[in-house]
């Protein structure tokens, strides 16, 4: 038997199970225990160094169970609903509703980063550059770099 102690906010629950065959089964058991949907939380465990480590796959679960000595201590973190993440779709990007929250946030960050790069390109001083090269301004250092057609960087 595997003894599980799970924490979600101020709630603490305990249960025992014969086995945990896979990550999906663990999520279903935890969702039933807390009367929640499986997609409403993320699953973490405390490792042997007392760090919180996320479990998101069968491999993660196997490692967590390997490190468990007596009670399998799990911490559940509420996950924001997908509707809270908004991404403006482009031609090469699906609508936000079809993305998982992590992917939607990643796409939003990438879109913001691309906008920043484009703004910096517009601000770049007009300098003489070699034909077919691209001039970029490094956001971290403020220096301008020239990318040559060969792929090498000059600057």
């Amino acid at each position: 038997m595997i003894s599980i102690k799970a924490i979600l906010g101020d709630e603490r629950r305990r249960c025992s199970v014969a086995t945990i065959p896979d990550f999906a089964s663990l999520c279903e058991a935890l969702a039933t225990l807390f009367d929640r949907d499986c997609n409403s939380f993320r699953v973490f465990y405390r490792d042997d160094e007392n760090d919180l480590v996320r479990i998101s796959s069968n491999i993660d679960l196997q490692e967590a169970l390997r490190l468990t000595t007596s009670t399998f201590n799990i911490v559940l973190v509420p996950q924001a609903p997908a509707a809270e993440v908004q991404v403006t779709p482009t031609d090469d990007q699906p609508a936000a509703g079809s993305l998982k929250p992590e992917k939607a946030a990643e796409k939003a960050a990438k879109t913001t980063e691309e906008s920043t790069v484009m703004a910096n390109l517009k601000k770049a001083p007009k300098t003489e550059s070699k034909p077919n090269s691209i001039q970029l301004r490094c956001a971290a250092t403020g220096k301008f770099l020239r990318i040559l057609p060969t792929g090498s960087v000059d600057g």
Side-chain angles (χ1 to χ4, degrees):
M1 292 293 272
I2 300 170
S3 177
I4 297 175
K5 179 180 178 183
I7 300 170
L8 176 61
D10 293 336
E11 286 186 70
R12 287 166 167 58
R13 304 280 174 96
R14 291 187 83 111
C15 70
S16 293
V17 294
T19 63
I20 305 173
D22 56 27
F23 178 66
S25 299
L26 173 64
C27 284
E28 288 172 20
L30 294 169
T32 301
L33 199 60
F34 285 97
D35 194 28
R36 298 268 185 134
D37 181 67
C38 283
N39 296 322
S40 68
F41 55 81
R42 291 179 294 168
V43 182
F44 294 83
Y45 73 97
R46 290 226 176 254
D47 69 2
D48 53 347
E49 296 173 349
N50 207 30
D51 291 327
L52 273 180
V53 180
R54 184 163 182 200
I55 304 173
S56 60
S57 68
N58 291 337
I59 293 171
D60 296 339
L61 175 61
Q62 290 170 1
E63 180 64 11
L65 291 172
R66 186 184 71 76
L67 293 173
T68 299
T69 53
S70 57
T71 301
F72 188 22
N73 292 305
I74 297 175
V75 176
L76 303 177
V77 176
Q79 184 161 305
E84 290 182 18
V85 178
Q86 295 180 353
V87 176
T88 305
T90 61
D91 292 340
D92 63 336
Q93 201 175 43
S98 64
L99 295 175
K100 292 184 178 178
E102 297 90 8
K103 292 292 182 185
E106 185 179 305
K107 290 280 186 182
K110 184 176 179 186
T111 301
T112 302
E113 184 179 332
E114 288 171 354
S115 298
T116 303
V117 168
M118 292 306 292
N120 285 337
L121 283 175
K122 289 176 185 175
K123 292 178 190 174
K126 302 289 184 206
T127 59
E128 189 176 315
S129 63
K130 296 180 181 177
N132 299 323
S133 66
I134 299 171
Q135 186 171 345
L136 297 174
R137 180 176 176 259
C138 177
T141 64
K143 293 182 180 180
F144 288 92
L145 303 172
R146 188 176 16 242
I147 302 174
L148 304 173
T150 60
S152 61
V153 177
D154 181 28

